[in-house]
Amino acid sequence: MTDVASRLSALTERLLGAPLPVRIRAWDGSEAGPPGAPVLRVRHRRALRRILWRPGELGLARAWVAGELDTDGDGELYGLLDRLAGLMWERNQDEEKAQPRGLRSALARVRDPGLRAAARELVALGGALPPPSPPAEERRTRFGGRHTRLRDRKAISHHYDVGNDFYELVLGPSMVYSCAYWEPAAPGTAPTLDDAQRAKLDLVCRKLALREGQRLLDVGCGWGSLVLHAAREYGVSAVGVTLSQEQATYARKRVAEEGLTGQVEIRVQDYREVRDGPYDAIASVGMAEHVGREPYRRYADALYALLRPGGRLLNHQIGRRPVPDESAYRVDEFIDAYVFPDGELAPVGQTVAVLEEAGFEVRDLESLREHYALTLRAWVANLEAAFETAARLSSYGRARVWRLYMAASALAFEHNRIGVNQILAVRTPQDGASGLPLRTREWLAA
């Protein structure tokens, strides 16, 4: 009888119409595929059932989270994902939208007799029944309409309320969960993740031209790193808002420990509920991805109303490449189910247009795409170095989710499938005095 790996490799090639670009190691110990290629370990036949019942990205992701698919070692994950990108991360949106769900529908699409035979053999190899239950880490319950305040609060809690100890391990002492800014280091040294995150916090403060006595609002303040830096280094009075109770508890403790209680306030509050403007400056760093495309104009209007005339907004946001038919854009299945429920990305041009429609004058745009790839690789390294501890602090499945999504995201940034941009905008007064110098980028001379 042919070994499992060879059968899987041959069946996959017949179904895909092309050789599988990775090496397979199956649950019976057999191996097949290109020598020297990254190894995909199929630990259990249940992985095949997951893919048969949910063909495509989500079936693969479920098998990964459950530990039924794996790599041959930490260093292999990037190579494996790079080889599988065409199968898992770059599926045509129109085809995906029209694709029926489930094993019966998937097999019904197979018209060629040879492909039908291959599909039947794959079912025999993996077993069709029972359909495996999704891993516990998958978010399946939605509360109310998309981007209502209740549903947004639940979505934020799903991602951020997984344990501050877990995030300390992944993010490091800086506790900053957004793209770092990797500046050249002194000769013979290399910048650390903490160095790069401090550089990013200071870059944001410089772009906002913060001065002592000003009021800063940080929308989506995370664990408080930016408001603490701004208060300590620039003397501002800062308010940070978050929907995560765990983040707020952690940030308030940091504020008290640094003796900044009278200068920094942390609130568990939706940005739509902030009413105590005007502020001199507003930062939104890694938060706008949660807002959604439809409500984005309301988000821009709300921030515009909270700024004083002449005040600055720094909007730091992940963006995707535009597609020919924007109405066909769909949220990534894996990310939506396991990482950022209801999160949506928009091309940077759309973001700029909406900010301008709300009244802002956009004065500067800086892409930090390569910086985010470096940041994600640093986070993955932190996670892999202490994976067992991370799994104990959250769950085995959760740690696998974070490892997969951060490594895949690093590759997406490196290959220009997604980017991240800092947009500096001003609520320019009617007299046109923006308050910016003729040479806009004065913040480069830190």
Side-chain angles (χ1 to χ4, degrees):
M1 181 176 179
T2 308
D3 59 66
V4 170
S6 295
R7 292 172 66 190
L8 278 176
S9 184
L11 288 170
T12 304
E13 181 172 345
R14 285 161 64 188
L15 288 168
L16 296 177
L20 193 66
V22 299
R23 189 166 180 81
I24 292 177
R25 180 177 299 157
W27 59 83
D28 66 342
S30 60
E31 291 190 33
V39 174
L40 174 64
R41 300 181 66 182
V42 186
R43 292 180 176 273
H44 198 285
R45 67 176 72 245
R46 192 183 303 111
L48 304 185
R49 291 206 297 275
R50 292 191 190 277
I51 296 167
L52 286 166
W53 278 94
R54 193 61 183 260
E57 177 182 313
L58 191 57
L60 288 165
R62 286 172 173 172
W64 169 270
V65 175
E68 297 151 6
L69 293 179
D70 208 346
T71 63
D72 207 30
D74 290 346
E76 293 242 325
L77 181 56
Y78 291 108
L80 184 69
L81 290 174
D82 221 6
R83 296 284 185 99
L84 293 175
L87 301 177
M88 192 169 182
W89 305 106
E90 296 177 343
R91 301 176 65 210
N92 182 279
Q93 295 286 352
D94 292 327
E95 291 178 3
E96 185 178 17
K97 189 173 183 179
Q99 175 178 299
R101 302 297 188 188
L103 174 61
R104 187 186 302 274
S105 299
L107 295 181
R109 296 199 313 274
V110 179
R111 299 286 183 260
D112 181 88
L115 294 183
R116 285 204 303 271
R120 284 196 298 269
E121 189 174 347
L122 193 61
V123 170
L125 190 60
L129 295 170
S133 298
E137 291 77 13
E138 182 171 319
R139 184 168 184 251
R140 298 183 295 279
T141 304
R142 308 288 169 146
F143 298 84
R146 182 183 287 268
H147 296 301
T148 60
R149 298 187 191 191
L150 173 61
R151 182 156 159 174
D152 279 354
R153 192 177 295 271
K154 294 291 185 180
I156 293 298
S157 179
H158 174 87
H159 186 79
Y160 295 102
D161 292 339
V162 299
N164 291 327
D165 291 343
F166 174 84
Y167 275 106
E168 281 184 333
L169 187 152
V170 175
L171 304 180
S174 69
M175 286 300 281
V176 179
Y177 192 24
S178 55
C179 173
Y181 192 67
W182 298 84
E183 295 181 311
T189 65
T192 67
L193 174 61
D194 289 338
D195 293 335
Q197 290 293 13
R198 279 193 297 271
K200 190 273 299 297
L201 296 178
D202 207 64
L203 178 66
V204 170
C205 293
R206 298 198 307 271
K207 287 184 176 183
L208 290 172
L210 297 182
R211 302 187 305 276
E212 186 173 352
Q214 288 187 328
R215 297 185 74 211
L216 167 68
L217 174 64
D218 184 7
V219 180
C221 66
W223 292 269
S225 298
L226 176 59
V227 288
L228 286 168
H229 183 88
R232 184 176 58 245
E233 303 297 331
Y234 291 84
V236 303
S237 174
V239 172
V241 297
T242 176
L243 293 180
S244 166
Q245 185 62 59
E246 289 193 18
Q247 285 185 335
T249 299
Y250 189 98
R252 287 166 181 161
K253 183 174 182 289
R254 296 176 75 187
V255 170
E257 289 173 347
E258 293 203 27
L260 294 169
T261 301
Q263 198 174 342
V264 176
E265 179 185 2
I266 304 295
R267 304 173 186 167
V268 179
Q269 187 177 38
D270 193 293
Y271 75 91
R272 290 164 284 197
E273 298 168 348
V274 179
R275 297 286 186 269
D276 61 342
Y279 287 88
D280 298 290
I282 297 177
S284 178
V285 182
M287 176 271 178
E289 298 88 342
H290 296 289
V291 170
R293 288 183 297 167
E294 292 300 320
Y296 202 89
R297 174 59 190 273
R298 295 197 297 273
Y299 161 82
D301 288 341
L303 300 193
Y304 186 85
L306 286 167
L307 266 179
R308 66 165 175 80
R312 298 187 189 185
L313 165 69
L314 191 286
N315 191 80
H316 174 122
Q317 181 177 343
I318 298 172
R320 61 175 171 82
R321 302 292 298 174
V323 295
D325 180 7
E326 283 292 327
S327 66
Y329 165 73
R330 296 186 67 205
V331 177
D332 181 286
E333 281 191 303
F334 166 62
I335 297 296
D336 187 53
Y338 286 95
V339 186
F340 292 109
D342 296 335
E344 295 180 85
L345 303 182
V348 65
Q350 288 185 14
T351 300
V352 169
V354 176
L355 291 173
E356 290 183 327
E357 289 166 5
F360 284 105
E361 180 187 7
V362 173
R363 295 300 302 256
D364 187 79
L365 189 152
E366 182 176 8
S367 171
L368 302 180
R369 178 172 65 81
E370 293 87 351
H371 292 259
Y372 217 158
L374 292 169
T375 305
L376 284 155
R377 283 184 177 265
W379 290 341
V380 171
N382 285 345
L383 177 58
E384 290 182 341
F387 186 84
E388 295 305 320
T389 301
R392 188 175 66 252
L393 291 172
S394 56
S395 71
Y396 174 74
R398 179 75 65 183
R400 289 181 66 80
V401 167
W402 256 243
R403 182 173 172 233
L404 176 62
Y405 112 76
M406 291 192 301
S409 297
L411 292 171
F413 281 107
E414 289 171 357
H415 294 308
N416 192 28
R417 293 196 289 271
I418 55 176
V420 63
N421 305 283
Q422 286 192 348
I423 300 171
L424 180 65
V426 181
R427 179 174 172 169
T428 304
Q430 290 186 351
D431 64 6
S434 69
L436 275 80
L438 293 178
R439 294 188 63 184
T440 302
R441 293 191 167 183
E442 81 266 303
W443 51 80
L444 292 178

